[in-house]
Amino acid sequence: MKPGVAIIGGGVSGLTCGVLLAERGYRAAIFAKETGQETTSAIAAAIWYPYDAEPAGNVITWALGTYKSLVDLSGEPRTGVSMMELCQFSRAGEIQIPNWAHSLGASVISTEGEKSPIISPSPFKSGFALTVPLMDTTIYLDYLATRFHAAGGSITANVFFEKLEDVDAEFVLVINCAGMGARELVHDVDLEPHRGQVAIVPKIDLGRAIVCDEPPLMYAIPRANDCVFGGTNELSDDRDIDPAVTSRIVAECSRVLKISNPQVLAERVGLRPFRKSGVRLQRDCLCDGRTVIHNYGHGGAGFTLSWGCASEVVNLAYCDLRQRDGLE
């Protein structure tokens, strides 16, 4: 029997690592303060796009790896993954299509006239479009958890560790997917909370996702049963909902879409775990001699990097356990 692996964190990073480890025969267990729809991951709009994460080179590699995995999942309705046209806009001027986006078929789109995805006259100066995976978090997180359980994994909620060494010694390997929690768990001063607030409104048949990263940040992401309006990206630990921010978000999205302000079904706030020195994906040693593999600091790209990062975590775990067995 393969040794036990403890995964700290029940968001998309922890669940994805758990799935890959459990399906490869590891005795994997997830421990988290929050799970399922209580996690920061559940608040995300969760459309594939490398946003608010560093360093660019590694991020793009992990993102493209994730893209391939999610495309495969999009053929199964039970996963909550679908393919959707993403329209990325600029208010300021000519937008540049990133080099990596060309390989995914990105193309310039009109911001005026009948071919514009926005009702004319457009509030934007330029834009480009590409087809990307969209993960409906109300379905996708449950899918990952179900798949993890089916592979023999276990999830324990309401667990708080003051340090990683507090994980039971039966687990010879620890995977740290604690997100913002890693700031206290491993005293990482590079982690900073990028506060995001969204409004959930009734379903709108947009047929595409509309995004503008320039201030004021604006996005409208249609899902199976509702639509996510956003958003904010500010340095703040405040998890309280600000009604004034919700009003601004709804007003800006409605202005762009040329619709009357819809009813707000829910308001949610999450803290993106941005790491100033870049995503931390590396093997380290705990004070008690056990190995930890850190996988956190994904900023606003947790879903976008999930499978690519999890694959690297599995590779590091495999190498570490072979070394322990004296095979390398």
Side-chain angles (χ1 to χ4, degrees):
M1 180 181 290
K2 289 192 177 181
V5 179
I7 301 152
I8 313 305
V12 68
S13 295
L15 284 169
T16 310
C17 287
V19 166
L20 288 188
L21 288 164
E23 290 182 347
R24 282 156 179 77
Y26 292 93
R27 291 189 297 110
I30 290 175
F31 299 92
K33 292 191 336 186
E34 300 166 326
T35 59
Q37 296 304 313
E38 300 303 316
T39 62
T40 297
S41 294
I43 301 170
I47 192 162
W48 184 96
Y49 197 83
Y51 172 71
D52 201 28
E54 297 289 343
N58 288 343
V59 163
I60 297 306
T61 299
W62 293 324
L64 292 176
T66 301
Y67 183 95
K68 295 176 182 177
S69 296
L70 292 173
V71 168
D72 291 341
L73 292 178
S74 68
E76 303 179 51
R78 66 190 177 94
T79 67
V81 182
S82 59
M83 300 302 292
M84 175 170 288
E85 183 181 55
L86 167 65
C87 299
Q88 185 83 26
F89 289 104
S90 170
R91 297 184 183 89
E94 192 66 29
I95 196 170
Q96 296 298 313
I97 300 178
N99 290 333
W100 56 262
H102 288 289
S103 66
L104 302 181
S107 60
V108 174
I109 54 177
S110 171
T111 56
E112 299 291 346
E114 293 182 0
K115 294 184 179 181
S116 172
I118 302 292
I119 300 174
S120 295
S122 173
F124 303 117
K125 297 291 181 62
S126 63
F128 68 89
L130 70 163
T131 300
V132 301
L134 169 68
M135 291 133 281
D136 187 329
T137 59
T138 65
I139 303 171
Y140 183 64
L141 294 175
D142 290 340
Y143 160 77
L144 290 177
T146 299
R147 183 168 161 182
F148 178 59
H149 283 303
S154 64
I155 299 176
T156 305
N158 301 313
V159 178
F160 174 78
F161 295 115
E162 291 187 355
K163 56 184 184 300
L164 291 174
E165 285 80 3
D166 291 341
V167 175
D168 194 293
E170 72 168 289
F171 298 102
V172 301
L173 181 62
V174 179
I175 314 297
N176 176 17
C177 298
M180 274 307 304
R183 184 172 52 174
E184 287 74 35
L185 187 61
V186 295
H187 309 291
D188 191 335
V189 296
D190 272 1
L191 268 176
E192 57 182 33
H194 286 191
R195 181 182 184 277
Q197 181 168 324
V198 300
I200 310 300
V201 302
K203 182 176 180 179
I204 302 174
D205 292 321
L206 297 177
R208 55 182 58 85
I210 307 295
V211 178
C212 180
D213 293 337
E214 299 164 352
L217 173 63
M218 173 269 159
Y219 51 86
I221 314 293
R223 303 193 299 192
N225 300 308
D226 55 28
C227 186
V228 181
F229 277 5
T232 65
N233 189 5
E234 55 192 359
L235 181 58
S236 173
D237 270 318
D238 186 4
R239 292 176 179 266
D240 291 336
I241 292 167
D242 185 338
V245 170
T246 296
S247 296
R248 179 192 62 75
I249 289 171
V250 172
E252 177 63 14
C253 289
S254 299
R255 183 182 74 86
V256 168
L257 300 177
K258 303 295 192 299
I259 62 173
S260 299
N261 286 6
Q263 174 191 3
V264 175
L265 302 177
E267 306 161 84
R268 305 195 71 180
V269 172
L271 304 180
R272 303 178 183 95
F274 178 82
R275 191 167 184 263
K276 291 179 285 186
S277 53
V279 174
R280 188 178 186 189
L281 208 172
Q282 63 181 166
R283 186 168 54 181
D284 200 358
C285 188
L286 298 181
C287 296
D288 59 15
R290 287 181 291 172
T291 295
V292 58
I293 299 173
H294 298 289
N295 179 31
Y296 66 85
H298 304 100
F303 285 85
T304 299
L305 306 181
S306 56
W307 289 97
C309 287
S311 294
E312 188 162 332
V313 166
V314 170
N315 290 336
L316 289 172
Y318 176 75
C319 291
D320 179 78
L321 293 173
R322 282 181 62 86
Q323 288 175 0
R324 286 178 178 270
D325 293 337
L327 300 177
E328 291 186 357

